[in-house]
Amino acid sequence: MKRVIVLFLHVVLIMLSGCGNPVKERRSPETGFIGLDHPVQESWKVRIALTENGVRRGVIEAGHGAEYRKNKSSEHHLDQGVRVDLFDINGHTTTTISAGKAVVHDNQDIEAEGNVIITSEGSTVIKTEYVKRTAKDKMIRSERFVTITRPGETIRGEGFETDQALRRYRIFRGSGESFIKQ
């Protein structure tokens, strides 16, 4: 009977020591089985900070996010209610983008699609199905149908570009309505 107990304790000790010493043994996660169309990580209730030279320039929130690696870069695919708040130099929100889903690239370019609504503090509202905000020049662009509404005017067109504060914009192939005070 003593041999069985000693043997059993020996097996338990081997099993416990088989976990390895976490301090001595630092291994990278095994990602060889992850295919091209599978995320390397997923998160829920995602919040991503956009920074420029250490200064916070925006915040992106979504209900779900997945990171995909392609070549040596990564993309964050967000869905379940995406909201992007872009800040001015003083840290105040100037523009908000909401969409069904978005992709955030390594260089902080953002592509949003699915019922995209862009609002500014100056009461401009832009509605479209797809936009791309480029981090390099801080411009928002789309080649899709767009409706821009400001107090007293509505402009529609096929494609547009604007600065991220929505102060200056260009409509391509546009039409619109304006109300003139008499």
Side-chain angles (χ1 to χ4, degrees):
M1 183 72 172
K2 287 184 182 182
R3 284 186 182 177
V4 172
I5 293 172
V6 171
L7 181 61
F8 176 73
L9 288 174
H10 182 68
V11 170
V12 169
L13 288 174
I14 289 173
M15 289 172 55
L16 290 175
S17 66
C19 295
N21 185 342
V23 176
K24 289 182 182 178
E25 212 176 301
R26 294 281 183 194
R27 299 183 328 180
S28 299
E30 181 59 48
T31 59
F33 65 94
I34 298 174
L36 291 175
D37 296 329
H38 298 288
V40 293
Q41 66 178 341
E42 281 186 279
S43 301
W44 284 262
K45 295 186 180 178
V46 178
R47 185 176 175 98
I48 299 172
L50 300 173
T51 60
E52 184 179 293
N53 298 324
V55 178
R56 197 170 77 151
R57 295 305 211 167
V59 173
I60 305 170
E61 295 178 328
H64 172 259
E67 180 184 359
Y68 292 85
R69 299 233 171 99
K70 295 181 181 178
N71 299 324
K72 293 189 179 187
S73 66
S74 66
E75 294 179 343
H76 294 273
H77 292 240
L78 308 172
D79 56 21
Q80 298 180 5
V82 177
R83 178 184 168 110
V84 180
D85 290 316
L86 301 172
F87 306 142
D88 64 12
I89 198 152
N90 298 318
H92 299 102
T93 302
T94 59
T95 304
T96 300
I97 302 171
S98 63
K101 60 184 180 175
V103 176
V104 181
H105 301 275
D106 276 345
N107 63 357
Q108 296 189 357
D109 284 357
I110 303 166
E111 293 182 76
E113 69 178 302
N115 195 27
V116 178
I117 300 172
I118 308 168
T119 57
S120 74
E121 62 183 10
S123 67
T124 299
V125 178
I126 298 175
K127 294 180 180 182
T128 187
E129 282 301 310
Y130 169 85
V131 295
K132 181 173 185 175
R133 183 259 188 188
T134 50
K136 185 175 181 178
D137 61 4
K138 296 182 182 40
M139 295 289 286
I140 300 171
R141 297 178 176 89
S142 179
E143 294 180 2
R144 306 240 180 114
F145 181 79
V146 63
T147 301
I148 299 177
T149 306
R150 296 179 63 180
E153 70 180 5
T154 300
I155 302 170
R156 292 175 197 84
E158 202 66 38
F160 79 100
E161 69 179 9
T162 181
D163 61 298
Q164 83 177 21
L166 309 184
R167 289 189 190 104
R168 294 177 305 277
Y169 53 85
R170 289 183 358 172
I171 302 290
F172 308 117
R173 296 177 300 281
S175 66
E177 306 161 5
S178 183
F179 300 100
I180 300 171
K181 292 183 181 179
Q182 292 187 358

